[in-house]
Amino acid sequence: MEVDIQELKAGDERAFRQLIDVHGRGIFNLCLGMIPNREDAEDLTQEVFIEAYKHIGSFREGSHIKTWLFRIALNKCYDHIKYIKRKKRHGIMQSLFDKEDNPIELPSNFAHPGVTLENKEHAEALYGALATLPENQHTAFTLYEMQGMDYKQIAETMAVSVSAVESLLSRARGGLRKKL
């Protein structure tokens, strides 16, 4: 089901609700794949759609709305990661062993629909290893493995070439193999 871009640009609330219905779960799963904290992923998902609502007028209709939304989501996730790192760097963040503030540790009820691992410990190991990858490798891996995007969609979302996506995925897999 495609959302009518002209209705979105005209401020039609029904079209905006339809946009959320069609793309909300995918945006949430992407955020959860980048930030393995359910509450933060929910907040970021809301922020993505608020941003989309505010800036729908700048959407280029030659593009796909999904990749535009995913780009907004990635930027929100990157900003959140930078915020967490900044807090950590300035000593505001509690010890890494404090279970409430550890950004890698997953909540006990963690269930990511894109991750089919046998148990929570494996998921924690995967997210811990993913967190050590460079941002662009982490993003490419998450989009490919957890979102099921093809190389072309990833390239469009990340604003890189298809060959760059292939390279990023190869390096991400190699890095994860070493860490896991």
Side-chain angles (χ1 to χ4, degrees), residues 102-120:
N102 186 347
I104 296 171
E105 183 163 327
L106 304 176
S108 60
N109 63 349
F110 179 78
H112 187 290
V115 179
T116 55
L117 297 173
E118 291 181 22
N119 59 43
K120 182 181 167 213

Side-chain angles (χ1 to χ4, degrees), residues 54-108:
K54 288 179 182 176
H55 296 100
I56 190 66
S58 67
F59 174 70
R60 290 188 320 261
E61 293 184 45
S63 302
H64 295 284
I65 191 98
K66 178 181 178 179
T67 55
W68 184 68
L69 290 170
F70 273 50
R71 180 80 251 161
I72 293 170
L74 287 173
N75 287 336
K76 293 289 181 189
C77 290
Y78 294 155
D79 289 346
H80 184 76
I81 291 167
K82 287 176 191 169
Y83 170 76
I84 295 295
K85 286 180 180 177
R86 196 168 40 248
K87 277 178 58 176
K88 183 178 176 182
R89 213 175 17 249
H90 290 88
I92 298 170
M93 190 174 206
Q94 303 234 349
S95 164
L96 287 176
F97 299 106
D98 183 350
K99 295 185 185 303
E100 290 180 2
D101 289 334
N102 186 347
I104 296 171
E105 183 163 327
L106 304 176
S108 60

